[in-house]
Amino acid sequence: MIRLEVYGRPTPQGSKRVFNGRLVEAQSANLKKWRKAIADACEPYSGQNIHLGPMRLEVDFYLERPKTVKQSARPLPIVPPDLDKLVRGVGDGIGQSGMIWGDDSQIVEIIARKSYADDREPGADITITPL
């Protein structure tokens, strides 16, 4: 089992699109920073063998609460970013590290949650379990 703590602004990763006959992926500067933070968190595992079998990915996202939203008014983040798009960024960020798995297609099970980072820094706690 591998546990990663990633700090920063969890950023969703959108779908790829075809533009003028070319497959492109829109990436914001925030997404690049987020994926780099994830890849950097994988660094302690650089000396291990890459797992090539099926994997379970569990992620708890902690999003910054907007200053205008009180905890009593909205205890959970039921607004964008979408949870599935946040998970997509994590999968590709881990893949970008080249240290944990060969490809995020190895994920066969996902458990994901999002909440506000009221008592901690924004970021994500990630658990990767080879099955």
Side-chain angles (χ1 to χ4, degrees):
M1 181 184 310
I2 296 170
R3 293 182 191 260
L4 307 173
E5 286 185 83
V6 183
Y7 297 100
R9 183 182 190 185
T11 305
Q13 181 169 320
S15 302
K16 295 178 179 154
R17 296 189 173 107
V18 176
F19 182 74
N20 288 337
R22 293 181 52 190
L23 185 64
V24 294
E25 181 178 349
Q27 283 196 16
S28 68
N30 288 336
L31 178 58
K32 288 180 183 179
K33 286 181 195 175
W34 177 239
R35 283 177 51 173
K36 181 170 181 346
I38 294 166
D40 290 348
C42 295
E43 188 65 35
Y45 300 95
S46 64
Q48 295 185 11
N49 290 332
I50 293 176
H51 298 281
L52 298 176
M55 310 292 274
R56 173 188 307 127
L57 176 66
E58 184 170 351
V59 188
D60 287 292
F61 292 99
Y62 299 96
L63 308 174
E64 188 173 345
R65 179 182 294 280
K67 291 179 176 38
T68 58
V69 177
K70 294 183 181 184
Q71 188 170 2
S72 59
R74 187 187 321 141
L76 293 171
I78 56 171
V79 296
D82 295 354
L83 187 57
D84 61 326
K85 291 183 178 162
L86 288 169
V87 170
R88 187 179 296 157
V90 168
D92 285 347
I94 293 169
Q96 177 180 317
S97 77
M99 294 176 211
I100 307 291
W101 55 50
D103 187 75
D104 59 357
S105 64
Q106 293 171 236
I107 301 169
V108 298
E109 183 178 332
I110 296 173
I111 301 166
R113 295 171 283 271
K114 65 179 182 174
S115 59
Y116 285 120
D118 293 331
D119 300 326
R120 58 159 286 161
E121 286 184 54
D125 291 337
I126 303 167
T127 303
I128 303 160
T129 307
L131 299 176

